[in-house]
């Protein structure tokens, strides 16, 4: 029982779900506006690296977070220029930027920190201790000592859910993703809306990246995101392009991830699951979710389609 | 005379090599219903897109209420009180009617005031007598209602000048009547209406003035009361029209016999619920009906493109209900599909290749599995000339041809084999008067040759002009079969809407 729903597993679930959720939220925002951004993986990675880099150089946590998010914004801006202004293939542009992010961060990491590793003294994102929960079984252990970014993520989920479905800018953003021509004829600036959405997705993914490096690991290592941005996109689909759904899907994936750790060495009727098999759980879940839900949930009608305004 | 509300003078616009508009003038007076007519490519929509700010003119001036206006985008147009009801609806399907009406001008704070928005839309509906359910999602309401939402959108923005771009293309005859009623109400409320169309019946029915464009130039300006459809048509086409009137032909034995045919739709429900129809040699049977009542499924069943779940389809006496398309075609069945771009042609292929599609594995086009390029090209050249495809270049990519020329390629391929049955589904959809005339002449030529023709069309004029007998389809059944002489537009319109009782026996 303990390995399935114990405080340890649940705490790990939340920890592992958070970066996936942030990437998924980024995906929701950008795809609701009609731009596919698979460079979210790269945005996470640069966020993770430049957060550590800035923390090392400035010794200031706010500066580190700001630089991490700026790095994500910069990468997303390149995607926006390619995808929106130049109407390039969004998958190709996203993939190219992912390769750029991987190469850039690995190179800089090697140049700067290969001999020593990233410094152990950098400021990290603090955890939030909920003292009053200490005595509560399971729940206290699960949420009583999580990173501040976890709570920020939760706030972002609520904010985005309300923003997309209960505000005027949210309505406009959705209309741009569904029928850009209609939005255009009503005086809504399709390109500007999409730029903002892509940039926001980059910032959200970068926050997910910096969470990995400055909260979970306390350091940077090569390709440390390891596909979490892509799993985030799967969570977005699984969650039907809504922030709440994306959070729920991220928690499912996080739970799969947590299980793959907590089930290690556990014996069931004399059989021990091989580690290699267990570590495929989150990826199997991803495939199942995408295969099972991609057809059933409806994506924004203009998702991934460049918009060319008439005339000029 | 008072100042015109819209005055477009010497407007020119060029797209690449194409001079879309050359010094076109348009003058519209307040409180008028002004029809802007012309063939496809005459520049009607381009001119209106300029007025609405979607295109910038290369030259010319626009005056609105006597003041020169520089319209850089839809926002400027809306500010001047100009609104456009687009041909392809500009609605966001998952949003509600009310949300679509206010989109872009929601008023109130950044938080969406759903209740307030719905109340405002309901009030607007009441004022102009336009019914649409504010809370329904667009994807759940029929096209006629969607169009009303488009009109509400424009009225919501306080437009005084309403541009309708081919508004009746997707409507049933009853919906057209409702629309015209709304348009007249709008005029009586002091609004000005510009109606883009190429349907003369509509021009005569609602407009006060007519401006005719031809090949990007002014062809005529007429007062509706003082003109007639023929004069407008001549101005549009630039020559006298040929009279296509069906004379009784020599009807031979039954070629197509369908009895209690049933089939499912793509969504799984029953699309055909026991269809009975016969077409004889030398006869055109028109299938009238509002789109989506099983006509397309009927055509697909005959061709073997859709699984037949019950009933019999006989062509020349033998049952083809369960044959594949190849076998059916070998029995002499030709098919002009509804969507020529998706089903009739391979757009990136050349003219010549498209002409021989379906026979590409037979001599002389292929020998021992090798395509005979020179033979194919020569055949393409010959058929392009015979069917007046422009340009008559066998190497041209079919996707670059105009709609009318594409349809000539489909038609040419299908009738060059002298079929005994032609199934034509919406053969003139989207074509202009000249191309439509051409298709009609060719079909009637086949009829006099003794070919049986099943003509599916939602254009009543087309059905009435070409058919010997007319079958009306409603909800997967043939609800009536009339000799053409007894069919009137009103009677067909009622039958198409499902009013079976009202028909005299």
């Amino acid at each position: 029982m303990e390995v399935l729903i114990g405080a340890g597993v649940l705490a790990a679930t939340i920890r592992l779900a958070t970066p996936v959720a942030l990437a998924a939220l980024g995906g929701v925002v950008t795809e609701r506006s009609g731009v596919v951004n698979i460079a979210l993986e790269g945005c996470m990675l640069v966020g993770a690296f430049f957060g550590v880099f800035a923390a090392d150089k400035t010794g200031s946590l706010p500066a580190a977070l700001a630089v991490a998010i700026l790095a994500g914004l910069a990468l997303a801006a390149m995607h926006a220029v390619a995808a929106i202004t130049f109407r390039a293939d969004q998958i190709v542009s996203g993939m190219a930027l992912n390769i750029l992010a991987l190469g850039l961060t690995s190179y800089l990491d090697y140049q700067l920190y290969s001999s020593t590793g990233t410094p152990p003294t950098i400021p990290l994102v603090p955890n939030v201790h909920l003292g009053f929960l200490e005595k509560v079984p399971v729940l206290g252990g699960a949420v009583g000592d999580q990173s501040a970014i976890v709570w920020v993520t939760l706030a972002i989920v609520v904010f985005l859910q309300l923003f997309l479905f209960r505000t005027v800018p949210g309505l406009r953003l959705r209309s741009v993703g569904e029928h850009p021509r209609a939005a255009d004829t009503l005086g809504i600036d399709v390109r500007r809306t999409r730029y903002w959405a892509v940039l926001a997705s980059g910032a959200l993914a970068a926050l997910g990246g910096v969470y990995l490096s400055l909260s979970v690991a306390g350091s940077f290592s090569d390709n440390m995101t390891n596909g979490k941005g892509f799993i985030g996109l799967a969570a977005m689909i699984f969650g039907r392009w809504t922030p709440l759904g994306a959070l729920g899907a991220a928690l499912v994936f996080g739970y799969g991830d947590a299980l793959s750790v907590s089930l290690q060495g556990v014996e069931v009727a004399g059989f021990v699951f091989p580690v290699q098999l267990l570590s495929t759980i989150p990826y199997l879940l991803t495939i199942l979710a995408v295969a099972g839900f991609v057809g059933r949930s409806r994506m924004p009608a203009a998702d991934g389609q460049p918009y060319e305004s008439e005339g000029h | 005379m008072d100042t015109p509300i819209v005055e477009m003078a010497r407007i020119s616009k060029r797209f690449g090599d194409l001079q879309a508009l050359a010094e076109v003038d348009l003058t519209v007076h307040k409180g008028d219903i002004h029809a802007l007519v012309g063939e496809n490519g005459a520049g009607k929509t381009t001119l209106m897109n300029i007025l609405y700010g979607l295109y910038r003119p290369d030259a010319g001036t626009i005056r609105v209420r006597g003041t020169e206006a520089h319209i850089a985008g839809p926002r400027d147009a809306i500010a001047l009180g100009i609104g456009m009801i687009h041909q392809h609806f500009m609605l966001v399907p998952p949003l509600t009617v009310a949300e679509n009406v206010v989109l872009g001008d929601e008023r109130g704070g950044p938080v969406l005031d759903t209740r307030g928005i719905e109340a405002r839309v309901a009030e607007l509906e009441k004022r102009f007598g336009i019914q649409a359910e504010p809370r329904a999602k667009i994807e759940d309401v029929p096209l006629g209602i969607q169009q009303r939402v488009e009109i509400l959108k424009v009225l919501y923005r306080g437009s005084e000048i309403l541009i309708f771009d081919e508004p009746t293309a997707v409507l049933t005859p009853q919906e057209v009547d409702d629309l015209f009623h709304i348009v007249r109400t709008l005029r009586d409320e002091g609004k000005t209406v510009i109606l883009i169309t190429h349907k003369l019946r509509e021009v005569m029915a609602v407009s006060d003035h007519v401006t005719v464009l031809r090949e990007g130039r002014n062809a005529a300006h007429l007062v509706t009361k003082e003109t007639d459809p023929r004069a407008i048509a001549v101005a549009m086409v630039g020559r006298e029209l040929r009279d296509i009137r069906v004379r009784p032909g020599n009807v031979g034995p039954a070629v197509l016999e369908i009895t209690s045919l049933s089939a499912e739709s793509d969504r799984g429900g029953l699309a055909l619920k026991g269809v009975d129809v016969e077409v004889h040699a030398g006869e055109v049977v028109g299938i009238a009906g509002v789109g989506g009542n099983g006509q397309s499924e009927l055509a697909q069943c005959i061709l073997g493109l859709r699984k037949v779940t019950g009933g019999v389809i006989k062509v020349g006496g033998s049952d083809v209900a369960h044959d594949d398309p190849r076998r059916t075609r070998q029995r002499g069945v030709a098919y002009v599909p509804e969507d020529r771009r998706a089903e009739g042609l391979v757009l990136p292929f050349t003219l010549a290749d498209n002409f021989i599609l379906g026979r590409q594995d037979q001599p002389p086009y292929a020998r021992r599995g090798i395509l005979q390029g020179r033979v194919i090209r020569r055949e393409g050249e010959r058929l392009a000339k015979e069917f007046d495809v422009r340009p008559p270049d066998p190497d041209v990519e079919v996707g670059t041809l105009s709609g009318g020329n594409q349809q000539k390629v489909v038609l040419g391929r299908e009738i060059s084999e002298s079929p005994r049955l032609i199934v034509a589904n919406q053969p003139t959809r989207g074509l202009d008067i000249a191309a439509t005339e051409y298709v009609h002449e060719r079909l009637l030529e086949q009829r006099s040759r003794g070919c049986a023709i099943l003509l599916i069309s939602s254009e009543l004029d087309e059905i009435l002009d070409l058919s010997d007998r007319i079958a009306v389809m409603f909800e997967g059944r043939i609800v009536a079969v009339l000799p053409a002489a007894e069919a009137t537009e009103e009677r067909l319109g009622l039958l198409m809407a499902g009013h079976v009782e009202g028909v005299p026996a």
Side-chain angles (χ1 to χ4, degrees):
Chain A
M1 242 3 224
E2 186 64 21
V3 295
L4 288 181
I5 54 161
V9 178
L10 295 185
T13 298
I14 293 170
R15 212 160 42 236
L16 292 161
T18 299
V20 172
L22 284 164
L25 291 170
V28 168
V29 174
T30 177
E31 296 210 1
R32 280 281 179 179
S33 85
V35 182
V36 171
N37 182 9
I38 63 164
L40 288 177
E41 171 78 14
C43 292
M44 277 184 106
L45 197 55
V46 295
F49 176 80
F50 284 97
V52 168
F53 175 72
D56 174 32
K57 293 295 175 220
T58 67
S60 147
L61 181 64
L65 292 175
V67 169
I69 285 171
L70 278 176
L73 285 173
L75 204 68
M78 286 189 244
H79 184 60
V81 170
I84 303 167
T85 303
F86 293 109
R87 298 188 290 275
D89 186 296
Q90 298 174 8
I91 301 298
V92 172
S93 159
M95 210 59 228
L97 291 169
N98 282 336
I99 294 167
L100 172 69
L102 180 60
L104 182 73
T105 54
S106 299
Y107 171 75
L108 290 176
D109 183 44
Y110 179 79
Q111 288 295 317
L112 295 167
Y113 303 118
S114 65
S115 48
T116 55
T118 50
T121 55
I122 52 174
L124 300 179
V125 178
N127 282 9
V128 178
H129 297 280
L130 299 174
F132 62 92
L133 280 179
E134 243 162 54
K135 299 271 156 53
V136 184
V138 186
L139 189 65
V143 301
D145 189 31
Q146 290 285 0
S147 166
I149 293 180
V150 170
W151 298 103
V152 170
T153 303
L154 216 53
I156 293 173
V157 169
V158 174
F159 169 78
L160 282 180
Q161 186 76 26
L162 293 174
F163 172 82
L164 281 175
F165 298 103
R166 294 275 182 274
T167 72
V168 168
L171 180 74
R172 293 181 177 189
L173 183 128
R174 284 186 289 139
S175 74
V176 165
E178 292 285 347
H179 198 330
R181 177 85 66 214
D184 193 8
T185 58
L186 294 171
I188 295 169
D189 192 329
V190 174
R191 295 222 266 166
R192 193 195 307 189
T193 307
R194 290 187 165 180
Y195 260 94
W196 279 115
V198 173
L199 289 175
S201 76
L204 286 165
L207 185 62
V210 81
Y211 169 79
L212 286 174
S213 65
L214 286 186
S215 194
V216 176
S219 64
F220 179 84
S221 54
D222 274 7
N223 194 22
M224 76 182 298
T225 52
N226 196 21
K228 288 216 159 39
F230 289 113
I231 297 181
L233 291 175
M236 163 197 78
I237 294 168
F238 192 18
R240 302 179 169 226
W241 284 270
T242 67
L244 280 175
L247 175 68
L251 285 169
V252 170
F253 292 146
Y255 182 65
D257 228 348
L259 272 190
S260 70
V261 178
S262 78
L263 284 179
Q264 280 176 28
V266 173
E267 209 180 285
V268 180
F271 180 74
V272 178
F273 288 105
V275 177
Q276 291 84 346
L277 214 57
L278 289 173
S279 57
T280 62
I281 291 177
Y283 302 97
L284 282 177
L285 273 178
T286 308
I287 291 172
L288 282 179
V290 173
F293 282 81
V294 95
R296 259 181 283 165
S297 65
R298 198 182 58 184
M299 64 182 209
D303 202 4
Q305 294 170 14
Y307 178 67
E308 190 166 1
S309 60
E310 272 187 74
H312 305 291
Chain B
M1 203 164 188
D2 57 345
T3 321
I5 191 161
V6 173
E7 211 177 351
M8 300 179 83
R10 304 174 74 79
I11 302 286
S12 295
K13 176 74 185 175
R14 172 179 280 279
F15 296 110
D17 289 337
L18 178 75
Q19 187 74 44
L21 292 172
E23 307 198 330
V24 169
D25 298 324
L26 173 72
T27 306
V28 181
H29 290 274
K30 185 169 159 48
D32 250 13
I33 298 176
H34 195 112
L36 182 60
V37 303
E39 294 274 80
N40 288 340
K44 317 177 288 279
T45 301
T46 306
L47 186 66
M48 287 301 102
N49 280 343
I50 286 172
L51 183 58
Y52 193 60
L54 289 170
Y55 296 154
R56 304 294 300 274
D58 299 334
T61 53
I62 303 173
R63 286 170 174 278
V64 179
R65 298 179 194 87
T67 320
E68 187 162 346
H70 295 279
I71 305 172
R75 234 176 230 282
D76 294 349
I78 293 166
L80 285 166
I82 300 169
M84 187 145 171
I85 290 99
H86 300 269
Q87 181 181 9
H88 304 288
F89 295 154
M90 295 289 175
L91 298 171
V92 186
L95 302 187
T96 66
V97 167
E99 284 171 335
N100 268 284
V101 170
V102 302
L103 186 64
D105 184 17
E106 297 85 352
R107 297 172 206 176
V111 173
L112 209 55
D113 173 17
T114 305
R115 212 169 295 166
I117 286 168
E118 282 168 2
R120 264 180 282 151
V121 171
E123 198 188 298
L124 205 60
E125 290 184 13
K126 222 165 87 191
R127 194 172 130 210
F128 290 97
I130 300 171
Q131 304 238 311
E133 177 55 50
R135 285 186 185 178
K137 283 191 177 177
I138 289 296
E139 57 200 0
D140 298 331
V141 304
L143 289 171
I145 303 286
Q146 292 187 15
Q147 185 167 56
R148 293 179 194 178
V149 179
E150 285 284 17
I151 299 170
L152 287 169
K153 263 165 77 172
V154 166
L155 293 172
Y156 175 79
R157 284 160 179 78
S159 294
E160 294 296 320
I161 305 156
L162 285 80
I163 306 165
F164 285 79
D165 187 4
E166 309 247 2
T168 60
V170 294
L171 302 185
T172 66
Q174 270 67 35
E175 286 174 331
V176 171
D177 288 346
D178 293 346
L179 172 69
F180 287 168
H181 183 75
I182 291 171
V183 167
R184 289 193 196 98
T185 311
L186 292 172
R187 176 186 52 191
D188 298 344
E189 291 274 324
K191 308 279 186 195
T192 306
V193 174
I194 303 176
L195 182 69
I196 305 178
T197 183
H198 59 239
K199 295 185 185 167
L200 301 176
R201 194 156 41 94
E202 297 169 5
V203 174
M204 299 310 294
V206 287
S207 72
D208 302 309
H209 287 90
V210 190
T211 293
V212 184
L213 299 185
R214 187 174 69 241
E215 288 163 11
R217 293 170 190 277
N218 283 93
H221 179 86
L222 306 159
V223 178
T224 310
K225 264 185 284 186
E226 299 163 7
T227 187
D228 60 75
R230 188 156 200 103
I232 301 173
V234 167
M236 281 167 72
V237 183
R239 59 170 166 79
E240 280 291 330
L241 291 179
R242 290 180 285 273
D243 209 7
I244 54 154
R245 182 57 43 87
V246 179
R247 281 167 206 87
N250 300 317
V251 175
V255 174
L256 176 71
E257 298 160 274
I258 296 180
T259 28
S260 16
L261 176 67
S262 60
E264 287 179 358
S265 72
D266 290 335
R267 290 183 196 152
L270 269 185
L272 302 177
K273 307 168 184 167
V275 169
D276 298 289
V277 69
E278 259 184 29
V279 188
H280 293 257
E283 180 189 45
V284 176
V285 172
I287 304 274
V290 178
N293 276 294
Q295 300 97 314
S296 298
E297 286 84 355
L298 173 62
Q300 289 159 2
C301 281
I302 298 170
L303 263 293
L305 294 165
R306 178 172 294 270
K307 197 177 161 201
V308 171
T309 53
V312 178
I313 303 173
K314 281 188 178 167
V315 174
S318 38
D319 190 0
V320 301
H322 303 284
D323 279 0
D324 60 36
R326 166 172 291 261
R327 303 243 347 231
T328 307
R329 293 181 76 102
Q330 279 166 355
R331 289 184 193 278
V333 181
Y335 182 41
V336 179
E338 188 174 14
D339 183 350
R340 60 183 160 268
R341 298 173 62 84
E343 296 174 78
L345 298 165
V346 182
L347 295 180
F349 280 18
T350 64
L351 193 60
D353 288 347
N354 271 286
F355 265 130
I356 62 121
L357 272 183
R359 312 192 285 268
Q360 70 280 2
D361 56 345
Q362 294 158 19
Y365 308 117
R367 290 189 194 284
R368 284 176 232 96
I370 307 289
L371 285 174
Q372 303 297 305
R374 222 174 317 152
V375 180
I376 293 169
R377 206 170 166 280
R378 214 178 312 128
E379 179 69 359
E381 216 163 1
R382 186 181 72 78
L383 287 172
K385 281 208 190 85
E386 188 183 331
F387 289 93
D388 191 30
V389 180
R390 288 176 217 176
D393 172 6
D395 299 323
V396 75
E397 213 178 275
V398 158
T400 63
L401 300 180
S402 72
N405 282 301
Q406 288 180 354
Q407 194 69 330
K408 287 177 186 173
V409 177
V410 174
L411 204 62
R413 179 184 66 216
E414 296 301 313
I415 67 188
S416 63
E417 290 286 275
S418 307
R420 58 172 153 182
L421 170 67
I422 299 174
V423 178
N425 192 358
Q426 311 287 0
T428 60
R429 175 173 285 175
L431 303 188
D432 58 25
I433 294 181
T436 299
E437 192 181 42
Y438 182 88
V439 170
H440 287 172
E441 280 171 0
R442 284 291 177 154
L443 286 175
L444 290 178
E445 204 176 278
Q446 291 299 307
R447 170 180 171 272
S448 24
R449 188 179 59 77
C451 181
I453 297 175
L454 186 73
L455 171 72
I456 298 171
S457 176
S458 48
E459 294 289 336
L460 280 185
D461 289 345
E462 178 165 80
I463 294 273
L464 288 164
D465 280 353
L466 299 186
S467 307
D468 297 292
R469 288 187 300 135
I470 298 169
V472 182
M473 218 167 161
F474 180 71
E475 292 187 344
R477 287 193 181 87
I478 303 278
V479 293
V481 182
L482 318 168
E486 292 173 23
T488 61
E489 215 166 281
E490 292 70 34
R491 202 170 159 195
L492 290 178
L494 285 169
L495 285 166
M496 284 163 66
H499 297 283
V500 183
E501 320 72 55
V503 177

